[in-house]
Amino acid sequence: MKPTRILILIIALILLWMNAGVRQDVLAQSSIQLALDPVVSGLEQPVYVTHAGDGSGRLFIVEQGGRIRIFQNGSLLSAPFLNIQSLVSCCGEKGLLSVAFHPNYKNNRRFFVNYTADRPNLKTIIAEYQTSSSDPNIAETNERVILQIDQPFSNHNGGQLQFGTDGYLYIGMGDGGSGGDPQNNAQDKNKLLGKLLRIDIDQATPFAVPSDNPFASGGGRGEIWAYGLRNPWRFSFDRANGRLFVADVGQDAWEEVDIIEKGKNYGWRIIEGSHCFNPSSNCNTTGLALPIDEYDHGLGESITGGYVYRGTQFPELNGTYIFGDYISSRIWGLSETSRGTWSRSQYLSSGFNISSFGEDEDGEIYVVNYSGGKVHRIRVSNPQPSSEQLTLIPSTAKSGRFTSSFFVINRGEQQNQITIKAHGLTGSVTATKDITLSPVGFYQADDVLGALGLPLGSFGPLTVESNSDLGLTVVSEVRSATGTAVFLAGKKKAETSKNRIIAEAVDTGDKGAAGTFRTNLGLNNLSSSPANVQVSFYNSAGSLRGSGSFSISPQGMTQVD
């Protein structure tokens, strides 16, 4: 049985006088500067990097020729984790293209690979392997084929595998290749090419079709989750809310980013991006899902999908979808400035062919350097100026069921003096704590309000200020005895009055019973003027579930249960 899925809500705080806009693509100049720090070298044609989710901290790097390598404790291990070079047809757009580890990998040692092979004609192979029970750095050689899909041409193989937050395996399939999708595979719901697939690898052999797939009961292949894709080379899930981002490689003119939803048609080959392709004009776009962002071939010619940043090292990037282009080597960030309105900022030009992005267990993002045989870690190279060193944790709690955990990272290479202040419901300071952080050091408190000397029943915002004008990272968790309820990166004070999305909130329906989760939202007004605020609640599919308007007195707070 799959665990019951907890309802995850995205809570958007919007000033009352502002409205969410329709889809609009905006090119912005970014004040954030990124650097790429090489962490792994000596690789052969690397195309993907990921983690196993087992707490080991290892990075697993896919080499196109058919090997998976392990980077552990600062070193690239000489023996490959998996070597299936004899099975793989490489290269060009063929090869061993990705790996995905089962959500319960730590206990069942199961993982899955996507590769192309001649058996005897060209096929995409989705296969399962298992790690050795005696050596966690070596995989067993027994292969169990899950799915085989014939490929009519050698290109547009897709290649990505990812497990969703629902526990199902998602598979990105290109349109079968050549150019212009001559067989119209992407629009044919009876074919698996040009689709995003979703299968259950736990309930049957070799797999089962989830009953809630859009065509599980007919009208198309049951494995299909969405269709109308050209070559979804890389896709990923936002770990905060489950939204699925696909970067679909374009044909002659346009590259695009889509948010994939159940059963939707993303338009290829009718449209390329949001522009008519076949026919070249006056095409019928009724019912087609348009991209959230696109760029023409003056900026790049082969999009490489990335990840929404949810790490802790660089809160400036929180919620930003980071992606790039294989040909132009550019790296961009895509931010949702209000619901449905996206702004794209260019961060840097990497100078190499970007074959993939990847995440580690902590949510930090990596870039795969195909041409140089390296993996680089993304870093913000310009800490925010001193006027923005005050951060705000929106709400904290200390009760018999919940405590607020908390840590602060010194992002500078010199000693940093910080002050933590707790505020009461009226905004007044109720407690302070001064801390000295060593260079690149951190402070952690599993009960931060207790560390501030505050009793049970305490509730309110925290402010954290660097007295040395150095960069900080501040992260807060609200915990019960059974796990973590909310995970929030601290916001700069200058940002607290803008449209923003709370990463996640939970409601088990048990209304705060012991051992369960229920999220109360604290609306804090740190200004000297009244604030009128509208709170809108969205589910993980983006549907509005409810909203309300609230007035908050100067220096005050309103609690939304």
Side-chain angles (χ1 to χ4, degrees), residues 366-501:
Y366 296 76
V367 185
V368 179
N369 178 345
Y370 181 82
S371 49
K374 297 180 180 180
V375 173
H376 305 253
R377 183 167 47 223
I378 284 179
R379 170 173 56 88
V380 174
S381 60
N382 61 330
Q384 295 296 309
S386 58
S387 62
E388 295 186 347
Q389 294 314 304
L390 180 65
T391 63
L392 168 72
I393 297 297
S395 59
T396 54
K398 179 176 174 63
S399 73
R401 294 191 299 267
F402 297 103
T403 59
S404 293
S405 300
F406 171 87
F407 66 91
V408 185
I409 303 171
N410 177 13
R411 292 164 54 206
E413 296 183 356
Q414 53 187 300
Q415 187 172 279
N416 199 342
Q417 305 292 327
I418 68 169
T419 298
I420 304 171
K421 295 180 181 179
H423 299 258
L425 297 183
T426 63
S428 60
V429 175
T430 57
T432 64
K433 187 176 184 66
D434 295 320
I435 297 172
T436 299
L437 293 177
S438 61
V440 298
F442 68 93
Y443 167 78
Q444 180 172 355
D446 289 333
D447 176 9
V448 64
L449 295 182
L452 286 161
L454 295 173
L456 291 178
S458 300
F459 184 80
L462 291 180
T463 53
V464 186
E465 185 170 7
S466 166
N467 303 317
S468 307
D469 292 340
L470 299 176
L472 292 172
T473 295
V474 183
V475 174
S476 175
E477 298 174 344
V478 180
R479 290 181 176 173
S480 78
T482 56
T484 300
V486 179
F487 189 80
L488 298 172
K491 297 290 184 180
K492 294 187 289 293
K493 184 177 179 181
E495 294 179 345
T496 59
S497 64
K498 296 181 180 179
N499 287 7
R500 59 188 176 86
I501 293 176

Side-chain angles (χ1 to χ4, degrees), residues 126-264:
I126 310 300
E128 177 182 347
Y129 287 85
Q130 197 168 31
T131 303
S132 166
S133 59
S134 60
D135 187 345
N137 290 332
I138 297 294
E140 296 176 351
T141 58
N142 297 330
E143 176 184 79
R144 184 167 77 94
V145 173
I146 302 297
L147 184 62
Q148 299 185 61
I149 302 172
D150 288 338
Q151 291 286 359
F153 302 97
S154 64
N155 57 338
H156 301 183
N157 298 305
Q160 182 72 59
L161 296 178
Q162 286 270 322
F163 279 94
T165 55
D166 52 15
Y168 295 128
L169 181 63
Y170 290 72
I171 305 165
M173 292 300 304
D175 64 8
S178 186
D181 194 6
Q183 299 177 351
N184 201 25
N185 291 317
Q187 290 297 315
D188 187 342
K189 296 191 287 293
N190 292 309
K191 295 181 180 178
L192 298 182
L193 298 172
K195 312 298 190 300
L196 191 74
L197 311 181
R198 178 181 185 249
I199 62 174
D200 184 343
I201 48 75
D202 289 327
Q203 300 302 316
T205 301
F207 66 88
V209 171
S211 60
D212 61 341
N213 274 11
F215 308 113
S217 299
R221 289 287 296 265
E223 300 95 330
I224 296 172
W225 183 248
Y227 64 104
L229 299 170
R230 182 179 180 273
N231 191 25
W233 165 244
R234 290 291 176 245
F235 67 84
S236 65
F237 293 89
D238 183 345
R239 60 168 64 186
N241 53 47
R243 283 204 292 189
L244 173 50
F245 289 75
V246 164
D248 199 9
V249 180
Q251 178 78 31
D252 298 323
W254 295 97
E255 308 296 311
E256 69 182 86
V257 178
D258 300 296
I259 292 181
I260 300 296
E261 297 179 0
K262 174 182 176 178
K264 288 194 173 181

Side-chain angles (χ1 to χ4, degrees), residues 8-14 20 238 240-243 245 259 308-310 315 318-320 335-342 394 486-491 495-505 521 534-540 542:
I8 298 179
L9 306 174
I10 308 169
I11 306 175
L13 274 66
I14 308 174
D238 183 345
N241 53 47
R243 283 204 292 189
F245 289 75
I259 292 181
V308 176
Y309 182 81
R310 297 296 182 187
N318 187 45
T320 301
S335 300
E336 193 171 19
T337 54
S338 61
R339 193 159 191 87
T341 301
W342 296 84
V486 179
F487 189 80
L488 298 172
K491 297 290 184 180
E495 294 179 345
T496 59
S497 64
K498 296 181 180 179
N499 287 7
R500 59 188 176 86
I501 293 176
I502 302 300
E504 40 179 338
L521 179 66
Q534 179 170 311
V535 180
S536 298
F537 296 83
Y538 296 88
N539 64 16
S540 58

